[in-house]
Amino acid sequence: MDPQLSLFHALADPTRLRIVNAMRSGECAVGDIVESMDIHQSGVSRHLRILSEAGIVRMRPDGQKRLYSLRKEAFDQLDAWVAAYRSQWEARLDRFGVALEKRRTTIDPGPQENSQ
């Protein structure tokens, strides 16, 4: 599967997106994530595996614990994808703004002086 498609597919699941949001503050143990979610440890572990396979999280063993953190590279990929569309839409919106301004000045040419 295309890595970018895998990234979007992984984040499309609402539970996985909630897990990613819970991890924004930094490295988390599975137990910490379980406490903040409304699912069992096995479900959190399954979602973390999918997020890991998509390159969104990384796991670091620490004794008996497994600590998970977000991978910057995945979010750099998302940002690059959005940036391509952002520049396209900004250019379109700029042209739209110019057209609106031109129309406004055509319809309302400005204040007129009273001739007496």
Side-chain angles (χ1 to χ4, degrees):
M1 183 183 282
D2 176 9
Q4 196 171 42
L5 187 57
S6 176
L7 182 67
F8 283 110
H9 179 73
L11 292 173
D13 181 90
T15 301
R16 287 193 285 272
L17 192 56
R18 284 179 40 225
I19 290 171
V20 168
N21 283 331
M23 296 174 66
R24 285 181 15 187
S25 62
E27 198 171 54
C28 300
V30 175
D32 297 334
I33 298 169
V34 169
E35 287 178 15
S36 68
M37 308 300 287
D38 192 23
I39 57 176
H40 291 62
Q41 188 271 329
S42 60
V44 169
S45 293
R46 181 175 52 85
H47 286 296
L48 285 169
R49 180 181 48 79
I50 293 167
L51 289 168
S52 180
E53 289 171 357
I56 299 168
V57 300
R58 70 170 47 97
M59 186 274 294
R60 179 177 69 84
D62 183 33
Q64 295 290 334
K65 291 185 196 178
R66 291 182 177 187
L67 301 175
Y68 288 85
S69 59
L70 299 175
R71 297 186 67 221
K72 179 185 178 305
E73 299 83 3
F75 295 93
D76 289 344
Q77 258 188 310
L78 285 172
D79 187 50
W81 184 84
V82 169
Y85 289 94
R86 182 182 305 122
S87 63
Q88 181 181 29
W89 279 104
E90 285 175 350
R92 287 181 181 181
L93 289 172
D94 288 344
R95 288 192 307 270
F96 182 63
V98 167
L100 284 176
E101 183 61 27
K102 191 181 290 185
R103 182 178 170 105
R104 186 184 67 79
T105 57
T106 302
I107 293 171
D108 180 22
Q112 297 178 356
E113 294 180 26
N114 289 338
S115 53
Q116 293 183 14

